Amino acid sequence: MNKKLHSFFLVLLACVIGEVMNLAGAHLLLLLEPLRIPLFLDTIGTVAVTFYAGLLPGIIVALLFNVIRTIQIALVNGTEIYPWEMLYMLCGATIAAVTWAFARRKENFCINRQITILYLVLIALLSAFASSVVGGLVETVNRIFFDGIHNRFLTEYFVRAFMGENMGMFVSCVLARIPMTLMDRVICTFAGYGLYALAKKYTHHGSV
């Protein structure tokens, strides 16, 4: 098989697997909903694909996840599709962009284990802040223009608390997301990198 064609199919397969991983993480959290676990777990595949195949495939996986998930929830619950919920795809795209900013220099992850961990922690911290800001903006728009009609996030209680302190809607939405997003980013970043390392070992592919 032509080398370029072979590489294309590997990237395509990675995107499909990454999408499945994102959906599986979201579904797992849904099954554990009674426990009220403050996580998302829906970007493990996005991180893995970004490391494995680069920025564009990572963004594609991130964008498609929210489209598929929004439609899936509507079909399962028998409700109408809330298209503005798809705007949270911007959080996933932001996470892919921050991850790629470091992943594109893979040689830095090969120095030693301590440096690798340091870079992953840095990715988790920066992507947590960036996605919290983007997510807070999306949630603010949701509340202003759509009355937060589909807002059932665990962050709701924190948003109300911050707004009670007169911090403003946007700041409240951002601050409320940071603790949950930070924990989620650490788990998904390390898990995603682990999947990438495993895939690289067996496919010898890893261009960005």
Side-chain angles (χ1 to χ4, degrees), residues 34-157:
L35 300 178
R36 308 294 287 178
I37 298 176
L39 295 170
F40 297 107
L41 299 180
D42 55 10
T43 56
I44 294 176
T46 298
V47 172
V49 170
T50 301
F51 265 104
Y52 184 80
L55 178 61
L56 183 58
I59 288 180
I60 290 174
V61 169
L63 297 182
L64 282 177
F65 166 76
N66 283 91
V67 174
I68 295 172
R69 187 61 178 159
T70 300
I71 296 174
Q72 184 183 52
I73 290 175
L75 292 176
V76 170
N77 295 335
T79 58
E80 61 180 298
I81 296 175
Y82 298 100
W84 51 88
E85 284 292 305
M86 296 180 187
L87 289 176
Y88 285 103
M89 67 172 63
L90 299 176
C91 294
T94 300
I95 288 168
V98 173
T99 301
W100 176 79
F102 294 89
R104 62 195 178 91
R105 299 180 64 88
K106 289 194 176 72
E107 62 273 14
N108 292 336
F109 290 83
C110 300
I111 298 174
N112 58 53
R113 183 174 298 177
Q114 289 75 21
I115 294 298
T116 299
I117 292 175
L118 180 61
Y119 272 112
L120 293 177
V121 169
L122 192 55
I123 290 172
L125 291 175
L126 292 178
S127 61
F129 175 75
S131 60
S132 291
V133 172
V134 174
L137 179 59
V138 172
E139 188 169 346
T140 300
V141 172
N142 185 6
R143 289 171 181 272
I144 293 175
F145 294 100
F146 306 108
D147 298 320
I149 191 170
H150 199 50
N151 184 24
R152 292 200 298 251
F153 286 127
L154 295 175
T155 57
E156 175 66 16
Y157 301 106

